[in-house]
Coordinates of all heavy atoms in Angstrom, one line a residue:
Y1182 N 0.8 -1.2 0.0 CA 0.0 0.0 0.0 C 0.9 1.2 0.0 O 1.8 1.3 0.8 CB -0.9 0.0 1.2 CG -1.7 1.2 1.4 CD1 -2.8 1.5 0.6 CD2 -1.4 2.1 2.4 CE1 -3.5 2.6 0.8 CE2 -2.1 3.3 2.7 CZ -3.2 3.5 1.8 OH -3.9 4.6 2.0
Y1183 N 0.6 2.1 -0.9 CA 1.4 3.4 -1.0 C 0.6 4.6 -0.6 O -0.5 4.7 -1.0 CB 2.0 3.6 -2.4 CG 3.1 2.6 -2.7 CD1 2.9 1.4 -3.2 CD2 4.4 3.0 -2.4 CE1 4.0 0.5 -3.4 CE2 5.5 2.2 -2.6 CZ 5.2 0.9 -3.1 OH 6.3 0.1 -3.4
D1184 N 1.1 5.4 0.2 CA 0.5 6.6 0.6 C 0.7 7.6 -0.5 O 1.8 8.0 -0.8 CB 1.2 7.1 1.9 CG 0.6 8.4 2.4 OD1 -0.1 9.1 1.6 OD2 0.8 8.7 3.6
S1185 N -0.4 8.0 -1.2 CA -0.2 8.8 -2.4 C 0.2 10.2 -2.1 O 0.9 10.9 -2.9 CB -1.6 8.9 -3.1 OG -2.6 9.4 -2.3
Y1186 N 0.0 10.7 -0.9 CA 0.4 12.1 -0.5 C 1.9 12.1 -0.3 O 2.6 13.0 -0.8 CB -0.3 12.5 0.8 CG 0.1 13.9 1.2 CD1 -0.3 15.0 0.6 CD2 1.0 14.1 2.3 CE1 0.0 16.3 1.0 CE2 1.4 15.3 2.7 CZ 0.9 16.4 2.0 OH 1.3 17.7 2.5
W1187 N 2.5 11.2 0.4 CA 3.9 11.2 0.7 C 4.7 10.3 -0.3 O 5.9 10.3 -0.3 CB 4.2 10.6 2.1 CG 3.7 11.5 3.1 CD1 2.6 11.3 3.9 CD2 4.2 12.8 3.6 NE1 2.3 12.4 4.7 CE2 3.4 13.3 4.6 CE3 5.3 13.6 3.2 CZ2 3.6 14.5 5.2 CZ3 5.5 14.8 3.8 CH2 4.7 15.2 4.8
R1188 N 4.0 9.6 -1.1 CA 4.7 8.7 -2.1 C 5.7 7.7 -1.5 O 6.8 7.6 -1.9 CB 5.4 9.5 -3.2 CG 4.6 10.5 -3.9 CD 3.9 9.8 -5.1 NE 3.2 10.9 -5.8 CZ 2.1 10.7 -6.4 NH1 1.5 9.5 -6.3 NH2 1.5 11.6 -7.0
R1189 N 5.2 7.1 -0.4 CA 6.1 6.1 0.3 C 5.2 4.9 0.6 O 4.0 5.0 0.7 CB 6.7 6.8 1.5 CG 5.6 7.2 2.5 CD 6.2 7.8 3.7 NE 5.1 8.3 4.5 CZ 5.2 8.6 5.7 NH1 6.3 8.6 6.3 NH2 4.2 9.0 6.4
K1190 N 5.9 3.8 0.9 CA 5.2 2.6 1.3 C 4.9 2.8 2.8 O 5.7 3.2 3.6 CB 6.2 1.4 1.1 CG 5.5 0.1 1.4 CD 6.1 -1.0 0.6 CE 5.6 -2.3 1.0 NZ 4.3 -2.6 0.8
T1191 N 3.7 2.4 3.1 CA 3.2 2.4 4.5 C 3.3 1.0 5.1 O 3.3 0.0 4.4 CB 1.8 3.0 4.6 OG1 0.9 2.2 3.8 CG2 1.8 4.4 4.1
M1192 N 3.3 1.0 6.4 CA 3.3 -0.3 7.1 C 2.4 -0.2 8.3 O 2.2 0.8 8.9 CB 4.7 -0.6 7.6 CG 4.9 -1.8 8.4 SD 6.5 -2.0 9.1 CE 7.6 -1.7 7.7
I1193 N 1.7 -1.3 8.6 CA 0.8 -1.4 9.7 C 1.7 -1.9 10.9 O 2.3 -3.0 10.8 CB -0.4 -2.3 9.4 CG1 -1.2 -1.7 8.3 CG2 -1.2 -2.5 10.7 CD1 -2.3 -2.6 7.8
V1194 N 1.6 -1.2 12.0 CA 2.3 -1.7 13.2 C 1.2 -2.2 14.2 O 0.2 -1.6 14.5 CB 3.0 -0.5 13.9 CG1 3.7 -1.0 15.2 CG2 4.1 0.1 13.0
V1195 N 1.4 -3.5 14.6 CA 0.4 -4.2 15.4 C 1.0 -4.6 16.7 O 2.2 -4.7 16.9 CB -0.1 -5.4 14.7 CG1 -0.8 -5.1 13.4 CG2 1.0 -6.4 14.4
D1196 N 0.1 -4.8 17.7 CA 0.6 -5.3 19.0 C 0.2 -6.8 19.1 O -0.4 -7.4 18.2 CB 0.1 -4.5 20.1 CG -1.4 -4.5 20.3 OD1 -2.1 -5.2 19.5 OD2 -1.9 -3.8 21.2
A1197 N 0.4 -7.4 20.3 CA 0.1 -8.8 20.5 C -1.4 -9.1 20.5 O -1.8 -10.2 20.1 CB 0.7 -9.2 21.9
N1198 N -2.2 -8.1 20.8 CA -3.6 -8.3 20.7 C -4.1 -8.5 19.3 O -4.9 -9.5 19.0 CB -4.4 -7.1 21.3 CG -4.2 -7.0 22.8 OD1 -4.3 -8.0 23.5 ND2 -4.0 -5.8 23.3
I1199 N -3.6 -7.7 18.4 CA -4.0 -7.9 17.0 C -3.4 -9.2 16.4 O -4.1 -10.0 15.7 CB -3.4 -6.7 16.1 CG1 -4.0 -5.4 16.6 CG2 -3.8 -6.9 14.6 CD1 -5.5 -5.2 16.6
I1200 N -2.2 -9.6 16.8 CA -1.7 -10.9 16.4 C -2.5 -12.0 17.0 O -2.8 -13.0 16.3 CB -0.2 -11.0 16.8 CG1 0.6 -10.0 16.1 CG2 0.3 -12.4 16.6 CD1 2.0 -9.8 16.6
S1201 N -3.0 -11.9 18.2 CA -3.9 -12.9 18.8 C -5.2 -13.0 18.0 O -5.7 -14.1 17.8 CB -4.2 -12.5 20.3 OG -3.0 -12.4 21.0
Y1202 N -5.7 -11.9 17.6 CA -7.0 -11.9 16.8 C -6.8 -12.7 15.5 O -7.7 -13.3 15.0 CB -7.5 -10.5 16.5 CG -7.8 -9.7 17.7 CD1 -7.7 -8.3 17.6 CD2 -8.1 -10.2 18.9 CE1 -8.0 -7.5 18.7 CE2 -8.4 -9.4 20.0 CZ -8.3 -8.0 19.9 OH -8.6 -7.2 21.0
L1203 N -5.5 -12.6 15.0 CA -5.2 -13.3 13.7 C -5.2 -14.8 13.9 O -5.6 -15.6 13.0 CB -3.9 -12.8 13.2 CG -3.5 -13.2 11.8 CD1 -4.5 -12.7 10.8 CD2 -2.1 -12.7 11.5
Y1204 N -4.7 -15.3 15.1 CA -4.5 -16.7 15.3 C -5.5 -17.4 16.2 O -5.5 -18.6 16.2 CB -3.1 -16.9 15.9 CG -2.0 -16.7 14.9 CD1 -1.2 -15.6 14.8 CD2 -1.8 -17.7 13.9 CE1 -0.3 -15.4 13.9 CE2 -0.8 -17.5 12.9 CZ 0.0 -16.4 12.9 OH 0.9 -16.2 12.0
L1205 N -6.3 -16.6 16.9 CA -7.2 -17.2 17.9 C -8.6 -16.7 17.5 O -8.8 -15.6 17.0 CB -6.9 -16.8 19.3 CG -5.5 -17.2 19.8 CD1 -5.2 -16.6 21.1 CD2 -5.4 -18.8 19.9
P1206 N -9.6 -17.6 17.7 CA -11.0 -17.2 17.4 C -11.5 -16.1 18.4 O -11.7 -16.4 19.6 CB -11.8 -18.5 17.6 CG -11.0 -19.3 18.5 CD -9.6 -18.9 18.3
T1207 N -11.8 -14.9 17.8 CA -12.3 -13.8 18.6 C -13.4 -13.1 17.7 O -13.5 -13.4 16.5 CB -11.3 -12.8 19.0 OG1 -10.8 -12.1 17.8 CG2 -10.1 -13.5 19.7
S1208 N -14.1 -12.2 18.3 CA -15.0 -11.4 17.6 C -14.4 -10.5 16.6 O -15.0 -10.0 15.7 CB -15.9 -10.6 18.5 OG -15.1 -9.7 19.3
F1209 N -13.1 -10.2 16.7 CA -12.3 -9.4 15.8 C -11.6 -10.1 14.7 O -11.0 -9.5 13.8 CB -11.3 -8.5 16.6 CG -11.9 -7.6 17.6 CD1 -11.8 -7.9 18.9 CD2 -12.7 -6.5 17.2 CE1 -12.3 -7.1 19.9 CE2 -13.2 -5.7 18.2 CZ -13.1 -6.0 19.5
S1210 N -11.6 -11.4 14.7 CA -10.8 -12.3 13.8 C -11.1 -12.0 12.4 O -10.2 -11.9 11.5 CB -10.9 -13.7 14.2 OG -10.4 -14.0 15.4
V1211 N -12.3 -11.9 12.0 CA -12.7 -11.7 10.6 C -12.1 -10.3 10.1 O -11.6 -10.2 9.0 CB -14.2 -11.7 10.4 CG1 -14.6 -11.3 9.0 CG2 -14.8 -13.1 10.7
K1212 N -12.3 -9.3 10.9 CA -11.7 -8.0 10.5 C -10.2 -8.0 10.4 O -9.7 -7.4 9.4 CB -12.2 -6.9 11.5 CG -13.6 -6.6 11.5 CD -14.0 -5.6 12.5 CE -15.5 -5.3 12.5 NZ -15.9 -4.4 13.5
V1213 N -9.5 -8.7 11.3 CA -8.1 -8.7 11.2 C -7.6 -9.6 10.1 O -6.7 -9.2 9.4 CB -7.5 -9.2 12.6 CG1 -6.0 -9.5 12.5 CG2 -7.8 -8.3 13.7
D1214 N -8.3 -10.7 9.8 CA -8.0 -11.5 8.6 C -8.2 -10.7 7.3 O -7.3 -10.7 6.4 CB -8.9 -12.7 8.5 CG -8.6 -13.8 9.5 OD1 -7.4 -13.8 10.0 OD2 -9.5 -14.6 9.8
T1215 N -9.2 -9.9 7.2 CA -9.4 -9.0 6.1 C -8.3 -8.0 5.9 O -7.8 -7.8 4.8 CB -10.8 -8.3 6.2 OG1 -11.8 -9.3 6.3 CG2 -11.1 -7.5 4.9
L1216 N -8.0 -7.4 7.0 CA -6.9 -6.4 7.0 C -5.6 -7.0 6.5 O -4.8 -6.5 5.7 CB -6.7 -5.7 8.3 CG -5.6 -4.7 8.5 CD1 -5.9 -3.5 7.5 CD2 -5.5 -4.3 9.9
F1217 N -5.3 -8.2 7.1 CA -4.1 -8.9 6.7 C -4.0 -9.3 5.2 O -3.0 -9.2 4.5 CB -3.9 -10.2 7.5 CG -2.5 -10.8 7.4 CD1 -1.4 -10.2 7.9 CD2 -2.4 -12.0 6.7 CE1 -0.1 -10.8 7.7 CE2 -1.2 -12.6 6.5 CZ 0.0 -12.0 7.0
K1218 N -5.2 -9.6 4.7 CA -5.3 -10.0 3.2 C -5.1 -8.7 2.4 O -4.5 -8.8 1.3 CB -6.6 -10.6 2.9 CG -6.7 -12.0 3.4 CD -8.1 -12.6 3.2 CE -8.1 -14.0 3.9 NZ -9.5 -14.5 3.9
I1219 N -5.6 -7.6 2.9 CA -5.4 -6.3 2.1 C -4.0 -5.8 2.2 O -3.4 -5.4 1.1 CB -6.4 -5.2 2.7 CG1 -7.8 -5.6 2.4 CG2 -6.0 -3.9 2.1 CD1 -8.8 -4.8 3.1
D1220 N -3.4 -5.9 3.3 CA -2.0 -5.4 3.5 C -1.2 -6.3 4.5 O -1.3 -6.1 5.7 CB -2.0 -3.9 4.0 CG -0.6 -3.3 4.0 OD1 0.4 -4.0 3.7 OD2 -0.5 -2.2 4.4
P1221 N -0.5 -7.3 4.0 CA 0.2 -8.2 4.9 C 1.5 -7.7 5.4 O 2.3 -8.4 6.1 CB 0.4 -9.4 4.0 CG 0.5 -8.9 2.7 CD -0.5 -7.7 2.6
D1222 N 1.9 -6.4 5.1 CA 3.2 -5.9 5.5 C 3.0 -5.3 6.9 O 2.8 -4.1 7.0 CB 3.7 -4.8 4.5 CG 5.1 -4.4 4.8 OD1 5.8 -5.0 5.6 OD2 5.5 -3.3 4.2
W1223 N 3.2 -6.1 7.9 CA 3.0 -5.7 9.3 C 4.3 -5.7 10.0 O 5.2 -6.5 9.7 CB 2.0 -6.6 10.0 CG 0.6 -6.5 9.6 CD1 0.1 -5.8 8.5 CD2 -0.5 -7.2 10.2 NE1 -1.3 -6.0 8.5 CE2 -1.7 -6.8 9.5 CE3 -0.6 -8.0 11.3 CZ2 -2.9 -7.3 9.8 CZ3 -1.9 -8.5 11.6 CH2 -3.0 -8.1 10.9
S1224 N 4.4 -4.9 11.0 CA 5.5 -4.9 11.9 C 5.0 -5.0 13.4 O 3.9 -4.5 13.6 CB 6.3 -3.6 11.8 OG 7.5 -3.6 12.6
A1225 N 5.8 -5.6 14.3 CA 5.4 -5.7 15.7 C 6.6 -5.5 16.6 O 7.7 -5.7 16.2 CB 4.8 -7.1 15.9
P1226 N 6.3 -4.9 17.8 CA 7.4 -4.8 18.7 C 8.0 -6.1 19.1 O 7.4 -7.1 19.0 CB 6.7 -4.2 20.0 CG 5.4 -3.7 19.5 CD 5.0 -4.5 18.3
F1227 N 9.3 -6.0 19.5 CA 10.1 -7.2 19.8 C 9.4 -8.1 20.8 O 9.5 -9.3 20.8 CB 11.5 -6.9 20.2 CG 12.4 -8.1 20.4 CD1 12.8 -8.8 19.3 CD2 12.7 -8.5 21.7 CE1 13.6 -9.9 19.5 CE2 13.5 -9.6 21.9 CZ 14.0 -10.3 20.8
L1228 N 8.7 -7.5 21.8 CA 8.1 -8.2 22.9 C 6.8 -9.0 22.5 O 6.2 -9.6 23.4 CB 7.7 -7.3 24.0 CG 8.9 -6.8 24.8 CD1 8.5 -5.8 25.9 CD2 9.6 -8.0 25.5
W1229 N 6.4 -8.9 21.2 CA 5.1 -9.5 20.9 C 5.0 -11.0 21.2 O 4.0 -11.5 21.6 CB 4.7 -9.2 19.4 CG 5.4 -10.1 18.4 CD1 6.6 -9.9 17.8 CD2 5.0 -11.4 18.0 NE1 6.9 -10.9 17.0 CE2 5.9 -11.9 17.1 CE3 3.9 -12.2 18.3 CZ2 5.8 -13.1 16.5 CZ3 3.8 -13.5 17.7 CH2 4.7 -13.9 16.8
R1230 N 6.1 -11.7 21.1 CA 6.1 -13.2 21.3 C 5.8 -13.4 22.8 O 5.0 -14.3 23.1 CB 7.4 -13.8 20.9 CG 7.6 -13.9 19.5 CD 8.8 -14.7 19.1 NE 9.0 -14.8 17.7 CZ 9.9 -14.2 17.0 NH1 10.7 -13.3 17.6 NH2 10.0 -14.3 15.7
S1231 N 6.4 -12.7 23.7 CA 6.2 -12.9 25.1 C 4.7 -12.5 25.4 O 4.0 -13.3 26.2 CB 7.1 -12.0 25.9 OG 6.8 -12.1 27.3
E1232 N 4.2 -11.5 24.9 CA 2.8 -11.1 25.1 C 1.9 -12.1 24.6 O 0.8 -12.4 25.2 CB 2.6 -9.7 24.6 CG 3.4 -8.6 25.3 CD 3.3 -7.3 24.6 OE1 2.8 -7.2 23.5 OE2 3.8 -6.3 25.2
F1233 N 2.2 -12.6 23.4 CA 1.3 -13.6 22.8 C 1.3 -14.9 23.6 O 0.2 -15.5 23.8 CB 1.8 -13.9 21.3 CG 0.9 -14.8 20.5 CD1 -0.4 -14.5 20.3 CD2 1.4 -16.0 20.1 CE1 -1.2 -15.3 19.5 CE2 0.6 -16.9 19.3 CZ -0.7 -16.5 19.1
R1234 N 2.4 -15.3 24.2 CA 2.4 -16.4 25.1 C 1.5 -16.2 26.3 O 0.8 -17.1 26.7 CB 3.8 -16.8 25.5 CG 4.7 -17.4 24.5 CD 6.0 -18.0 25.0 NE 6.8 -17.0 25.6 CZ 7.8 -16.3 25.0 NH1 8.0 -16.6 23.7 NH2 8.5 -15.4 25.6
N1235 N 1.5 -15.0 26.8 CA 0.6 -14.6 27.9 C -0.9 -14.7 27.5 O -1.7 -15.2 28.2 CB 0.9 -13.2 28.4 CG 2.1 -13.2 29.2 OD1 2.6 -14.2 29.8 ND2 2.7 -12.0 29.2
V1236 N -1.2 -14.3 26.3 CA -2.6 -14.5 25.8 C -2.9 -15.9 25.6 O -4.0 -16.4 26.1 CB -2.7 -13.7 24.4 CG1 -4.1 -14.1 23.8 CG2 -2.6 -12.2 24.6
L1237 N -2.0 -16.7 25.1 CA -2.3 -18.2 25.0 C -2.5 -18.8 26.4 O -3.4 -19.6 26.6 CB -1.1 -18.9 24.3 CG -1.0 -18.6 22.8 CD1 0.3 -19.2 22.3 CD2 -2.2 -19.0 22.0
A1238 N -1.7 -18.4 27.4 CA -1.9 -18.9 28.7 C -3.2 -18.5 29.3 O -3.9 -19.4 29.9 CB -0.7 -18.4 29.6
L1239 N -3.7 -17.3 29.0 CA -5.0 -16.9 29.5 C -6.1 -17.7 28.8 O -7.0 -18.2 29.5 CB -5.2 -15.4 29.2 CG -6.6 -14.9 29.5 CD1 -6.8 -14.8 30.9 CD2 -6.7 -13.5 28.8
Y1240 N -6.0 -18.0 27.5 CA -7.0 -18.8 26.8 C -7.0 -20.2 27.4 O -8.0 -20.8 27.5 CB -6.7 -18.8 25.3 CG -7.3 -17.7 24.6 CD1 -7.1 -16.3 24.9 CD2 -8.2 -18.0 23.5 CE1 -7.8 -15.3 24.2 CE2 -8.8 -17.0 22.8 CZ -8.6 -15.6 23.1 OH -9.2 -14.7 22.4
L1241 N -5.8 -20.7 27.7 CA -5.7 -22.1 28.3 C -6.4 -22.1 29.7 O -7.2 -23.0 29.9 CB -4.3 -22.5 28.4 CG -3.6 -23.0 27.1 CD1 -2.1 -23.1 27.4 CD2 -4.2 -24.3 26.7
R1242 N -6.1 -21.1 30.5 CA -6.7 -21.1 31.9 C -8.2 -21.0 31.8 O -8.9 -21.6 32.6 CB -6.1 -19.9 32.7 CG -4.8 -20.2 33.2 CD -4.4 -19.1 34.3 NE -4.5 -17.8 33.8 CZ -3.5 -17.1 33.2 NH1 -2.3 -17.7 33.0 NH2 -3.7 -15.8 32.8
K1243 N -8.7 -20.2 30.8 CA -10.2 -20.0 30.7 C -10.8 -21.2 30.0 O -12.1 -21.2 29.9 CB -10.5 -18.7 30.0 CG -10.2 -17.5 30.8 CD -10.7 -16.3 30.2 CE -10.6 -15.1 31.1 NZ -11.4 -13.9 30.6
G1244 N -10.0 -22.1 29.5 CA -10.6 -23.3 28.7 C -11.1 -22.9 27.4 O -11.9 -23.6 26.8
L1245 N -10.7 -21.8 26.8 CA -11.1 -21.4 25.5 C -10.4 -22.2 24.4 O -10.9 -22.3 23.2 CB -10.9 -19.9 25.3 CG -11.6 -19.0 26.3 CD1 -11.2 -17.5 26.1 CD2 -13.1 -19.1 26.1
I1246 N -9.2 -22.6 24.6 CA -8.5 -23.5 23.7 C -7.8 -24.6 24.5 O -7.6 -24.5 25.7 CB -7.4 -22.7 22.9 CG1 -6.4 -22.1 23.8 CG2 -8.0 -21.7 22.0 CD1 -5.2 -21.4 23.1
N1247 N -7.4 -25.7 23.8 CA -6.7 -26.7 24.5 C -5.2 -26.6 24.2 O -4.8 -25.7 23.4 CB -7.2 -28.1 24.1 CG -7.0 -28.4 22.6 OD1 -6.1 -28.0 22.0 ND2 -7.9 -29.2 22.1
F1248 N -4.4 -27.4 24.9 CA -2.9 -27.2 24.7 C -2.4 -27.4 23.3 O -1.6 -26.7 22.8 CB -2.2 -28.2 25.7 CG -0.7 -28.1 25.7 CD1 -0.2 -27.0 26.4 CD2 0.1 -29.0 25.1 CE1 1.2 -26.8 26.5 CE2 1.5 -28.8 25.2 CZ 2.0 -27.7 25.9
D1249 N -3.0 -28.4 22.6 CA -2.6 -28.6 21.2 C -2.9 -27.4 20.3 O -2.1 -27.0 19.4 CB -3.3 -29.9 20.6 CG -2.7 -31.1 21.2 OD1 -1.6 -31.1 21.7 OD2 -3.5 -32.1 21.3
N1250 N -4.0 -26.7 20.5 CA -4.4 -25.5 19.8 C -3.4 -24.4 20.1 O -3.0 -23.6 19.2 CB -5.8 -25.1 20.1 CG -6.8 -26.1 19.5 OD1 -6.8 -27.2 19.9 ND2 -7.7 -25.6 18.7
A1251 N -3.0 -24.3 21.4 CA -2.1 -23.3 21.8 C -0.7 -23.5 21.1 O -0.1 -22.5 20.6 CB -1.9 -23.2 23.3
L1252 N -0.3 -24.7 21.1 CA 1.0 -25.0 20.4 C 0.9 -24.7 18.9 O 1.8 -24.2 18.3 CB 1.4 -26.5 20.6 CG 1.9 -26.8 22.0 CD1 2.2 -28.3 22.1 CD2 3.2 -26.0 22.3
G1253 N -0.2 -25.1 18.3 CA -0.4 -24.8 16.9 C -0.5 -23.3 16.6 O 0.1 -22.9 15.6
A1254 N -1.1 -22.5 17.5 CA -1.2 -21.1 17.2 C 0.2 -20.5 17.4 O 0.6 -19.6 16.6 CB -2.1 -20.4 18.2
Y1255 N 1.0 -20.9 18.4 CA 2.3 -20.4 18.6 C 3.3 -20.8 17.5 O 4.1 -20.0 17.1 CB 2.9 -20.8 20.0 CG 4.1 -20.0 20.4 CD1 4.0 -18.7 20.7 CD2 5.3 -20.6 20.4 CE1 5.2 -17.9 21.0 CE2 6.5 -19.9 20.7 CZ 6.4 -18.6 21.0 OH 7.5 -17.8 21.3
G1256 N 3.1 -22.0 17.0 CA 4.0 -22.5 16.0 C 3.6 -22.0 14.6 O 4.4 -22.0 13.7
G1257 N 2.4 -21.4 14.5 CA 2.0 -21.0 13.2 C 2.3 -19.5 12.9 O 1.7 -18.9 12.0
Q1258 N 3.2 -18.9 13.7 CA 3.4 -17.5 13.5 C 4.1 -17.2 12.1 O 4.9 -18.0 11.7 CB 4.4 -17.0 14.6 CG 4.2 -17.5 15.9 CD 5.5 -17.5 16.7 OE1 6.5 -17.1 16.3 NE2 5.4 -18.1 17.9
V1259 N 3.7 -16.1 11.6 CA 4.3 -15.6 10.4 C 5.1 -14.4 10.6 O 5.8 -14.0 9.7 CB 3.2 -15.3 9.3 CG1 2.5 -16.6 8.9 CG2 2.2 -14.3 9.8
F1260 N 5.1 -13.9 11.8 CA 5.9 -12.7 12.1 C 7.2 -13.1 12.7 O 7.2 -13.5 13.9 CB 5.1 -11.8 13.1 CG 3.8 -11.4 12.6 CD1 2.7 -12.2 12.9 CD2 3.6 -10.3 11.8 CE1 1.4 -11.9 12.5 CE2 2.3 -10.0 11.3 CZ 1.2 -10.8 11.7
V1261 N 8.3 -13.0 12.0 CA 9.6 -13.4 12.5 C 10.4 -12.2 12.7 O 10.4 -11.3 12.0 CB 10.3 -14.4 11.6 CG1 11.6 -14.8 12.1 CG2 9.4 -15.5 11.3

């Protein structure tokens, strides 16, 4: 996506919550999936992995996902 005013490539900066919406079933997942399909050039702070693990732990404690799903979500990251 190019910003026509500045004539430069833009990038979406996301936090661990947005990444969680991408990998875990939430009410925001469809919107985040759509955004990712439109512009997959995302950047995230270095701490996102640690924060994402905390989100997975919360989902496990609440029984929203099982351990195998948590491992699958953590292993399916596309943000390196």
Side-chain angles (χ1 to χ4, degrees):
Y1182 172 75
Y1183 285 89
D1184 181 339
S1185 59
Y1186 180 75
W1187 294 104
R1188 304 273 185 219
R1189 63 183 175 164
K1190 185 154 172 61
T1191 59
M1192 176 186 311
I1193 297 173
V1194 178
V1195 297
D1196 66 0
N1198 291 319
I1199 302 299
I1200 295 169
S1201 299
Y1202 302 153
L1203 188 63
Y1204 286 103
L1205 301 169
T1207 71
S1208 59
F1209 299 109
S1210 294
V1211 172
K1212 290 179 182 180
V1213 172
D1214 285 340
T1215 301
L1216 179 62
F1217 188 73
K1218 288 175 186 169
I1219 292 170
D1220 186 0
D1222 189 14
W1223 289 9
S1224 181
F1227 186 73
L1228 286 175
W1229 79 266
R1230 287 187 180 105
S1231 176
E1232 293 171 351
F1233 186 61
R1234 285 190 301 265
N1235 287 333
V1236 171
L1237 291 175
L1239 174 68
Y1240 270 57
L1241 283 168
R1242 281 194 305 272
K1243 288 188 171 192
L1245 300 173
I1246 60 174
N1247 62 32
F1248 187 72
D1249 289 334
N1250 292 59
L1252 285 178
Y1255 191 70
Q1258 315 153 10
V1259 294
F1260 305 93
V1261 181

